[in-house]
Amino acid sequence: MFVSKFICNQSDEYGMVKNYKFDYHHEVDSLFLYKKNGKSKGSVELGDLVFDFDYRLNLVGMQILNASSFIEEVSGEADVKELLKNLKKCEVKQTTNKNLMIIHITLTGIKKVQIPLTLPNIKYKSPSLAYA
């Protein structure tokens, strides 16, 4: 089983950098980013994305299932599986805009790939979460 564990820089909604770690499991093609001491109280699944939140509703981790195909589709890059197998660095920038959480992930290995993600911010009431 191939697993990579490295530190990932993360910027929160106030611009402060926090340490995240990341694991890639190539057998199941899953990329997991998580805060070292973060404890998940609950998760939100959106397609191939799973977001983990603590009891204060702060993001403490995220998982990308079917990571290579998801990242290829979102970023427009090819051969992402090789990047993931040789991943060296990961940067996560998180900001908020009203009721949206905006996450920019930059993966660096044999090349650099950027992944933009936007989701409802569960800290605030949102019409998109009204039926959840």
Side-chain angles (χ1 to χ4, degrees), residues 94-108:
Q94 175 187 337
T95 58
T96 57
N97 184 341
K98 298 182 183 176
N99 62 347
L100 290 177
M101 181 182 297
I102 303 160
I103 302 170
H104 294 275
I105 303 169
T106 303
L107 304 175
T108 305

Side-chain angles (χ1 to χ4, degrees), residues 56-100:
R56 292 183 182 154
L57 301 178
N58 295 311
L59 184 67
V60 295
M62 66 185 93
Q63 184 174 15
I64 303 175
L65 307 171
N66 304 305
S68 58
S69 61
F70 178 85
I71 294 168
E72 285 177 359
E73 185 176 333
V74 171
S75 70
E77 293 287 335
D79 300 323
V80 171
K81 194 167 259 191
E82 284 305 309
L83 165 72
L84 293 170
K85 286 181 182 179
N86 299 291
L87 201 53
K88 302 290 184 223
K89 183 179 175 186
C90 170
E91 295 176 339
V92 178
K93 181 180 178 189
Q94 175 187 337
T95 58
T96 57
N97 184 341
K98 298 182 183 176
N99 62 347
L100 290 177

